[in-house]
Amino acid sequence: MITKTAFDFCAFFVLAVCFFTGCRWKREYVFQRKVLLGFIGLNMILALMSILNQCILYYGWKYGDDALILLEVTKTIAYICNAWMPAVFSSYILCVAGIARARKKLFYYIFYLPYIVCTILVLTNPWHHKIFHYVVNRDYYRGPLASVLFFSALFYVITGVYFLVRYQKAMERQRMFGMASAIMIAVVFATIQYRCSYIRVELMGVTLACLAMLLNVEFNMNDIDTRSGCFNRRAFQAMVRRNAIAKSHYFMVSVRFTNISNDLRQCDEDTETRMLQYLGGYFQKLNSSLQIYYCNHGTFILVLVNKEERYHERLIKDLVDMFGNGEFEFENLKLPMAVEICQAHVPEELSYMYEINEFVDFKGDGEGGQFQLYDAAVLENIRRENAVRTALQSAISERRLDVVIQPIVDLKTGKIIAGEALTRLRDPALGMVYPGEFIPIAEGSNLIVELGEYVLEEVCKLLQNHAMDAVEYVEINLAPYQILQSDLTARFMEIMNRYGVGPERINLEITEMVASDDRKNYSKTLRELRKAGFTFSLDDFGTGYSNLARLFHHKFRNIKIDKSLLWDSSENEIARDFLEGMIQTIHHMDALIIQEGVETREQLEYVKAQGVDYVQGYIFSKPMEIQDFIDYITE
Ligand code: C2E
Ligand code: MG
Ligand code: MG
């Protein structure tokens, strides 16, 4: 009796350890974990029944018929476990491969049919005894229908292996290894018991298989973010791949705590960790099927696979309730929380990996205050931004960005005294893109620096043309980020020396924002440029709210009054008074005035009457291709 039950004893205790360890591990792949726990549980019951059965066989015979009933009961329970195990195991493979719940209902009806038939057969066995039978002398007979159970098990093992092979790309190596080794161990041990029935190791084999799955599939520490205890980005990518192959639909929500580092920096490291864990646990409570990933610092990604819309709505509502008021209570502390939530359906709204990565890395504009809810539509903007950035980058490196020139006309003489260099991006895929779109995208990165040097170089080439002797200088826009580069002057001079163009031919346009900011970084570079011989215009004057006194610390060659001020002044008396006042003030300061955006005859007459010096506007010309500009000034 000891030899017959020793392996079952061992199996039972190992399974019990697996079961409780598995229960403790709560956060990820909850449904999948539950299926494995179910499988382990069934095996535990099976081990227990097997041990009980042997005990009754050895010690229970004194009790006569009662022992027989007990034998039947334990065997029936063992048979039910045996009938269920293969189906549960195969379901587990479906989960690991990512296709649990991803198929039509009919698929599951067919898939679980053998399991239902076996269950009915086993439960009705006491009446028909076609599965197994104990006779009075405690001898055990297999009935003719026992083979149905065998074939059902075979069906599930074969389908399991099929899914494993079919979806192997959806699984990482370690998971694949876990599943394959589990099946192999189970098969080897079952064969041993089949060949030598006195070595009762089949259950032990299944137990080791459970261990292999638990260690390789469930407790994959490579997939866990150690601080939050949630899945990390690696696991996220694997999930995306798995669901893509399985054609699963899922709902994804990113919850980004925009101030998490600032606010938590006030707490200690340990508190931050506890807080992340608390948040992970909180999300898990919202829906037990939720998969939680901590992908970027401060960003949780919540994923609901193959769930109906009402669960999505519920999730969003719960998140809004929790974070909508911009405050969050944790360990009796109230923390201000700035939260951005973004939601998307995959693959309906995001169907490429790069789009999903954009979603994960998405940062809102921060304009929503403490709480902001976005949907996938904002990603459309990000996508456009990325496309424009890439197009601009290649246009610059392939030197096919267009530089156009808009003439600036002296109102007294009617002659073109200068031109402003502006840029146009003509992309094969995007078509014509205007600076209003690509300059803000380039601004703040090295791209604007490259663009600035590109424009300067093109302008230098233009200025080498003798026809350009007819104009005094060309205006070039200088972006704030460019001015922050400490080597700007040296680089500009290098380019100009290369073309033999002197700095007096270039007038740099800076904005009010730069001019009124007396941070050292700006003023140092501006001083250097001035020393090198460049002059400046103040661009878009009247759009900022700058301190005039500080603005006019600098000496400007021209002040360019923004077009909006002119346009407003025709309708609005306050704007008109302001414009006229400004023109007076600027004249006192010994700078020339360029009025931008003059489109109509009335506007032209008006600015003339006000004493504006130069005009840049569609009334004379739109920005022109370089060759057109040369033709225009030579005429
Ligand atoms: P900006 O420097 O104020 O340039 C004047 C803008 O007003 C140009 O728009 C020009 O086409 C437009 N404009 C001129 N006259 C009229 C008019 O009569 N009516 C109307 N409706 N518009 C007129 P554009 O070329 O689209 O450039 C927009 C802004 O993009 C520029 O404003 C400038 O700030 C920036 N930008 C353009 N090219 C460059 C560049 O190479 N480098 C930098 N840093 N910024 C640039
Ligand atoms: Mg300008
Ligand atoms: Mg302007």
Side-chain angles (χ1 to χ4, degrees), residues 406 420 423-424 435 477 539-540 563 567 596-597 599 617-618 623:
Q406 188 176 27
E420 178 177 7
T423 38
R424 300 284 180 266
N477 292 285
D539 200 1
D540 302 341
K563 45 187 175 288
W567 296 346
E596 296 181 321
E599 294 185 344
Y618 289 179

Side-chain angles (χ1 to χ4, degrees), residues 420-422 475-477 509 539-540 560 596 616:
E420 178 177 7
L422 297 157
E475 305 235 347
I476 289 182
N477 292 285
E509 296 191 359
D539 200 1
D540 302 341
K560 300 185 77 173
E596 296 181 321
Q616 176 182 352

Side-chain angles (χ1 to χ4, degrees), residues 141-326:
Y141 291 102
R142 260 171 213 252
L145 288 185
S147 51
V148 174
L149 262 68
F150 171 77
F151 284 112
S152 156
L154 196 66
F155 167 77
Y156 285 115
V157 171
I158 291 172
T159 49
V161 172
Y162 167 75
F163 287 129
L164 219 51
V165 175
R166 166 97 161 59
Y167 293 104
Q168 55 175 317
K169 281 210 193 83
M171 279 181 257
E172 304 100 276
R173 258 215 200 124
Q174 191 174 353
R175 289 170 156 241
M176 192 67 200
F177 170 78
M179 297 309 296
S181 57
I183 293 177
M184 239 140 65
I185 297 169
V187 169
V188 168
F189 278 61
T191 316
I192 294 175
Q193 180 164 342
Y194 177 72
R195 300 296 296 239
C196 325
S197 60
Y198 54 92
I199 312 180
R200 301 172 55 85
V201 287
E202 187 179 347
L203 197 60
M204 196 63 211
V206 178
T207 305
L208 294 178
C210 288
L211 209 56
M213 292 188 286
L214 211 58
L215 290 177
N216 289 297
V217 183
E218 300 295 319
F219 300 164
N220 190 344
M221 288 311 287
N222 287 341
D223 285 353
I224 305 297
D225 173 74
T226 43
R227 294 197 71 191
S228 62
C230 301
F231 280 132
N232 57 19
R233 188 143 189 168
R234 198 189 101 95
F236 177 79
Q237 306 280 19
M239 177 279 294
V240 172
R241 233 179 2 255
R242 205 164 42 241
N243 284 319
I245 292 172
K247 297 194 173 67
S248 295
H249 294 243
Y250 54 100
F251 180 62
M252 195 161 60
V253 182
S254 76
V255 184
R256 195 168 91 87
F257 297 94
T258 56
N259 58 346
I260 202 160
S261 18
N262 293 340
D263 289 340
L264 291 178
R265 199 152 292 150
Q266 296 157 12
C267 323
D268 52 305
E269 177 97 352
D270 198 37
T271 315
E272 184 177 336
T273 306
R274 282 205 310 283
M275 171 136 172
L276 291 177
Q277 284 171 358
Y278 175 83
L279 285 168
Y282 165 76
F283 293 136
Q284 195 65 79
K285 276 195 220 117
L286 296 181
N287 186 323
S288 65
S289 311
L290 210 57
Q291 295 170 23
I292 302 156
Y293 300 84
Y294 191 63
C295 288
N296 289 343
H297 185 67
T299 307
F300 284 90
I301 304 286
L302 316 180
V303 174
L304 268 180
V305 184
N306 298 319
K307 284 274 199 179
E308 294 104 68
E309 193 61 36
R310 64 193 156 98
Y311 290 102
H312 307 167
E313 283 162 12
R314 183 67 215 249
L315 177 63
I316 294 296
K317 187 184 170 300
D318 286 341
L319 291 172
V320 173
D321 286 349
M322 177 79 175
F323 300 110
N325 62 0

Side-chain angles (χ1 to χ4, degrees), residues 401-404 406 420-424 434-440 443 448 451-452 455 476-480 482 509 511 539-540 560 562-563 567 595-600 603 616-623:
L401 187 72
D402 274 358
V403 173
V404 290
Q406 188 176 27
E420 178 177 7
L422 297 157
T423 38
R424 300 284 180 266
Y434 286 90
E437 183 175 8
F438 65 76
I439 294 291
E443 175 67 88
I448 194 78
L451 181 133
V455 174
I476 289 182
N477 292 285
L478 207 55
Q482 280 178 279
E509 296 191 359
T511 56
D539 200 1
D540 302 341
K560 300 185 77 173
D562 195 69
K563 45 187 175 288
W567 296 346
Q595 179 61 59
E596 296 181 321
V598 179
E599 294 185 344
T600 63
Q603 285 170 341
Q616 176 182 352
Y618 289 179
I619 185 145
F620 293 115
S621 169
K622 287 193 173 182

Side-chain angles (χ1 to χ4, degrees), residues 54-93:
Q54 292 299 327
C55 289
I56 298 165
L57 277 177
Y58 275 82
Y59 307 113
W61 54 270
K62 309 174 208 151
Y63 305 105
D65 280 0
D66 289 346
L68 210 61
I69 294 170
L70 278 177
L71 276 180
E72 275 230 20
V73 170
T74 51
K75 206 69 184 175
T76 305
I77 297 175
Y79 262 99
I80 289 180
C81 293
N82 264 322
W84 288 4
M85 260 166 39
V88 176
F89 180 68
S90 212
S91 310
Y92 183 65
I93 294 181

